[in-house]
Amino acid sequence: MLQTSESRSRSTALLHDHDWWRQAAVYQIYPRSFADSDANGIGDLAGIIEKVPYLSALGIDAVWLSPFYPSALADGGYDVDDYRDVDPRLGTLAEFDALTAALHDVGIRIIVDIVPNHTSDRHEWFRAALAAGKGSPERGRYLFRDGRGERGELPPSDWTSIFGGSAWEPVGDGQWYLHNFAPEQPDLDWNNPDVRADFLATLRFWADRGVDGFRVDVAHGLAKDLPPEGEPLPTQAELDALPHDGQHPLWDRDDVHDIYAEWRRLFRSYDPPLIGVAEAWVDPDRRARYAGQDGLGQAFSFDLLRADFDPRVFRSVITSNLELAAASGSSTTWVFSNHDVVRHATRYGLPVSGDSERMGREWLLSGGTAPELDAALGLRRARAATLLQLALPGSAYLYQGEELGLHEVPDIPEAARQDPTFFRSRGVELGRDGCRVPLPWTSEGPAFGFGDAAPHLPQPDWFAEYSAEREEGDPSSTLWLYRRALRLRSELRESEQLEWLELGDEVVGFRRPGGWVSVTNFGPQSVPLPDGDILLSSEELPGDGTLPGAATVWLRDPDTGENTRG
Ligand code: BGC
């Protein structure tokens, strides 16, 4: 169905640019932790509407909304009860429309999160599957198998879920269902035509309401190839030994792309076409297909997110990602933080271990505000990394609160924790609550301005230092840095070219068309700055022609447009 422009709420400026996403700055909102307008401790859509001026002043191109659908919150909203409604605690469909219109009015697009790998166990399909019993068409939408043992009292296999524990849950009649995540998230069977048709209807539902694209959760997990009922399943060890070459029974199968080819056709039936971005934790060389012409359009690269603050790693990741993007015909994506990982200001303030994500977890496991965290260094590096990110070709995905320089909250009391990874690992993994704590908007007042009730995750006292209100009044704040950078970045839209500069081992420097130069000093010692007019820097510069350690500067080559100097 072709939508007319009039039927979708868009400002004229948003209508004509089909390539807006290629170099967009996309700001992720985790709605339950953004702004609470009705004093129930949970952020909501009306709260986001109130903050549209803030988002507009920030200078982003699009908002990605994490799930806002009805949900028991067994996994922070990624357990969806109804894909075509709004959680009543968060608002109504009318408020969703009002939010879309308010964003579009200020030139910001909206991307919504689609969770197709699993429904929640409260979804009407899953309830029907339980009621209908073994062998029914209703069970055929999920992955039910008989248990082993005389009465089916043992799980069909020893598979483990991503969140820990068995990947199978019994339903009391000898059958079990597969859940690669929490038991409240039964995996769908994408070989079932009902499933395919229903998600196309869901995509149309939101597209017709005016959304500009979709973030596709666990995009590499939908297609599965399990032996038929009655045949033995491989063991977890056998699965682990299999290559991820497109034929693995559970992950990153080649046939998943048939699903996205159909989705892309639907995206292209809208004018302008919609865009999809795949969350696919796959080998970099298998990522291109999710992003390609018959894929969703774009795919997250988590390579920089996993990298230490190391110039060699940054250089090689940037090079390989630009090559992969060019091969797919898409643009690349850069991400440092999201709702699933330790915030990058914190990761970069931890001792180097070679793996930032694990490094963060190790620190969290040690509990509390561990002495080895250098919070100031972490933030300094995060600001330098972000300025580098925003100068690169491709899309930058930013996570709410990083523009305030927020750190992870490690010391949430056990009783307040929500993440199923915490419970299923019996606290061995603290999980992801620490990056989902509601934002501080003010330095004083209830919930630091998040809302009038106690927030659903407790905020630490030090949030006062990072409030949007305080940073608004401080031109050296991280908020001001993001705003200035996002404004300047809009000049880089015209091209996706990048030319490396050789400025020493500890330095990552490159030139973009128009004489734009970005230089990041990863080392501790100052380095000489190349010639150019200074546009912006992540730290105050000493004014002696040098760039201090852990800092980025943007310059404009005086010979603007002449890409001849190295
Ligand atoms: C989301 C997570 C979620 C998981 C299961 C992910 O990749 O980003 O937050 O827990 O999918 O839906």
Side-chain angles (χ1 to χ4, degrees):
M1 173 178 46
L2 188 71
Q3 280 295 295
T4 63
S5 50
E6 288 73 24
S7 67
R8 307 176 64 198
S9 114
R10 288 168 195 283
S11 68
T12 326
L14 299 188
L15 283 172
H16 302 298
D17 184 0
H18 289 202
D19 286 334
W20 65 269
W21 51 272
R22 291 189 71 91
Q23 302 218 65
V26 184
Y27 181 86
Q28 180 190 357
I29 292 184
Y30 189 73
R32 292 175 177 83
S33 298
F34 191 68
D36 171 19
S37 73
D38 60 358
N40 64 357
I42 300 174
D44 44 49
L45 300 186
I48 303 173
I49 293 173
E50 282 170 22
K51 300 296 183 195
V52 167
Y54 173 87
L55 297 170
S56 176
L58 190 55
I60 51 164
D61 302 300
V63 155
W64 148 30
L65 274 193
S66 275
F68 48 84
Y69 313 109
S71 167
L73 302 182
D75 179 25
Y78 285 87
D79 46 322
V80 178
D81 297 349
D82 180 350
Y83 291 88
R84 296 178 214 149
D85 206 352
V86 174
D87 186 330
R89 288 167 295 184
L90 270 67
T92 60
L93 281 170
E95 278 170 327
F96 180 86
D97 295 341
L99 172 60
T100 303
L103 288 169
H104 283 169
D105 280 350
V106 294
I108 297 176
R109 292 171 169 92
I110 177 167
I111 293 174
V112 296
D113 217 313
I114 288 292
V115 188
N117 180 67
H118 42 263
T119 68
S120 86
D121 60 348
R122 307 195 315 174
H123 190 280
E124 60 170 351
W125 275 4
F126 193 71
R127 293 181 204 229
L130 291 187
K134 183 176 168 179
S136 60
E138 287 83 354
R139 285 206 180 176
R141 294 171 180 143
Y142 294 90
L143 291 159
F144 280 86
R145 288 291 183 273
D146 288 338
R148 288 170 301 151
E150 263 175 44
R151 292 172 312 283
E153 70 279 12
L154 297 171
S157 71
D158 65 345
W159 297 355
T160 49
S161 102
I162 308 260
F163 290 160
S166 172
W168 296 99
E169 190 71 8
V171 297
D173 58 8
Q175 284 223 299
W176 300 59
Y177 64 88
L178 181 71
H179 58 88
N180 273 320
F181 294 88
E184 296 87 350
Q185 294 167 298
D187 280 48
L188 287 163
D189 183 352
W190 273 85
N191 290 318
N192 185 305
D194 287 359
V195 173
R196 294 194 181 222
D198 197 64
F199 271 90
L200 289 172
T202 292
L203 296 174
R204 269 194 217 100
F205 178 87
W206 294 107
D208 291 348
R209 298 195 98 88
V211 308
D212 301 279
F214 299 96
R215 179 262 187 191
V216 181
D217 192 60
V218 198
H220 57 310
L222 277 51
K224 298 185 182 74
D225 184 25
L226 267 56
E229 286 270 15
E231 287 187 24
L233 297 165
T235 63
Q236 183 68 52
E238 285 165 347
L239 282 184
D240 291 347
L242 290 174
H244 284 238
D245 60 355
Q247 304 304 316
H248 190 281
L250 297 182
W251 300 109
D252 191 21
R253 294 182 54 74
D254 286 339
D255 48 358
V256 79
H257 297 289
D258 300 343
I259 301 168
Y260 301 134
E262 198 170 13
W263 288 21
R264 192 71 183 274
R265 283 195 290 277
L266 184 146
F267 294 173
R268 289 196 173 114
S269 72
Y270 287 81
D271 181 21
L274 280 87
I275 184 71
V277 55
E279 187 220 20
W281 292 84
V282 297
D283 291 343
D285 58 346
R286 294 193 54 84
R287 194 186 301 138
R289 212 161 153 203
Y290 290 86
Q293 289 308 306
D294 293 330
L296 288 164
Q298 218 179 32
F300 287 124
S301 163
F302 296 118
D303 300 347
L304 274 189
L305 180 152
R306 297 189 214 227
D308 280 327
F309 189 74
D310 178 324
R312 285 150 287 268
V313 181
F314 267 61
R315 226 178 273 120
S316 95
V317 164
I318 294 166
T319 306
S320 62
N321 276 261
L322 291 176
E323 284 168 7
L324 286 170
S328 72
S330 182
S331 62
T332 191
T333 59
W334 310 110
V335 186
F336 286 121
S337 284
N338 64 31
H339 65 297
D340 287 332
V341 297
V342 173
R343 284 184 177 278
H344 68 292
T346 302
R347 293 202 310 268
Y348 291 153
L350 297 166
V352 172
S353 79
D355 176 331
S356 303
E357 210 192 326
R358 241 190 82 232
M359 180 170 78
R361 290 222 181 98
E362 279 168 6
W363 169 69
L364 290 167
L365 287 180
S366 72
T369 46
E372 64 269 36
L373 172 69
D374 185 336
L377 178 65
L379 178 54
R380 186 181 170 105
R381 287 174 167 172
R383 290 164 55 114
T386 296
L387 221 50
L388 185 161
Q389 172 196 27
L390 293 177
L392 287 170
S395 296
Y397 282 83
L398 311 171
Y399 177 52
Q400 68 178 40
E402 68 167 84
E403 79 279 16
L404 304 173
L406 267 193
H407 277 281
E408 188 82 1
V409 181
D411 45 2
I412 298 170
E414 187 170 333
R417 289 206 170 266
Q418 300 175 9
D419 188 349
T421 56
F422 175 81
F423 300 106
R424 290 183 69 80
S425 71
R426 299 200 163 77
V428 172
E429 294 216 18
L430 285 195
R432 303 160 295 176
D433 295 321
C435 63
R436 300 176 178 181
V437 175
L439 292 190
W441 292 99
T442 57
S443 295
E444 289 172 6
F448 297 114
F450 167 69
D452 286 337
H456 68 101
L457 281 167
Q459 300 156 305
D461 292 344
W462 53 262
F463 259 34
E465 287 302 302
Y466 292 82
S467 77
E469 174 194 50
R470 201 201 64 71
E471 296 203 16
E472 182 89 55
D474 174 5
S476 71
S477 68
T478 305
L479 179 58
W480 274 63
L481 180 70
Y482 270 67
R483 282 187 187 164
R484 289 181 175 132
L486 287 162
R487 294 251 167 280
L488 285 166
R489 173 189 157 85
S490 57
E491 292 178 26
L492 292 171
R493 291 254 173 72
E494 296 307 307
S495 146
E496 294 175 28
Q497 298 301 308
L498 173 147
E499 179 196 346
W500 289 108
L501 302 175
E502 292 301 329
L503 298 169
D505 284 352
E506 296 299 317
V507 179
V508 172
F510 52 87
R511 181 185 282 118
R512 300 285 310 274
W516 184 295
V517 170
S518 173
V519 182
T520 305
N521 178 7
F522 284 75
Q525 311 299 335
S526 292
V527 296
L529 272 177
D531 289 344
D533 301 328
I534 292 166
L535 297 172
L536 187 62
S537 57
S538 64
E539 298 298 323
E540 201 174 327
L541 298 178
D544 60 359
T546 64
L547 176 62
T552 295
V553 66
W554 287 355
L555 308 154
R556 197 189 306 277
D557 192 317
D559 305 329
T560 299
E562 297 296 314
N563 293 338
T564 51
R565 296 146 42 112

